[in-house]
Amino acid sequence: MTPEAVALTDLGWRRHVAMVDERALRSFYERVAQQMNEPASASKGPAPPSLWGQQDGLTRWVEQLRRKHRIRRRRHLAEQRHTWQPLPLPENGHFK
């Protein structure tokens, strides 16, 4: 399995990507860069679309996963705001 595929199949990372605030995604991109033996500084987050509007596969995957779990993420953030305490993220099994 390729290093980037390992990061994509790790349920803990899938949960992280699906649930965290968009600004916190940098750690995921750094992890993928590290898995591919690239310096973490080489990862600046999602790649911008190309001239023809196409995205790289990793950025597209992140957007699809976040879109799939958008309602779960919003519900979790709303509950967290209601209690004024950080709540644990849902179990990994939800992100298969």
Side-chain angles (χ1 to χ4, degrees), residues 45-79:
S50 70
L51 181 62
W52 297 279
Q54 297 174 337
Q55 294 177 319
D56 70 287
L58 182 61
T59 301
R60 190 170 43 251
W61 179 84
V62 166
E63 287 182 358
Q64 289 172 350
L65 184 68
R66 289 181 62 78
R67 188 172 25 254
K68 178 179 176 183
H69 295 286
R70 180 179 62 233
I71 293 172
R72 179 174 284 124
R73 181 175 57 253
R74 287 180 179 170
R75 190 176 305 137
H76 177 77
L77 291 173
E79 289 174 16

Side-chain angles (χ1 to χ4, degrees), residues 13 16 23-32:
W13 278 109
H16 174 82
R23 296 170 295 200
L25 288 175
R26 183 177 181 98
S27 62
F28 171 72
Y29 287 104
E30 289 173 354
R31 167 71 188 265
V32 172

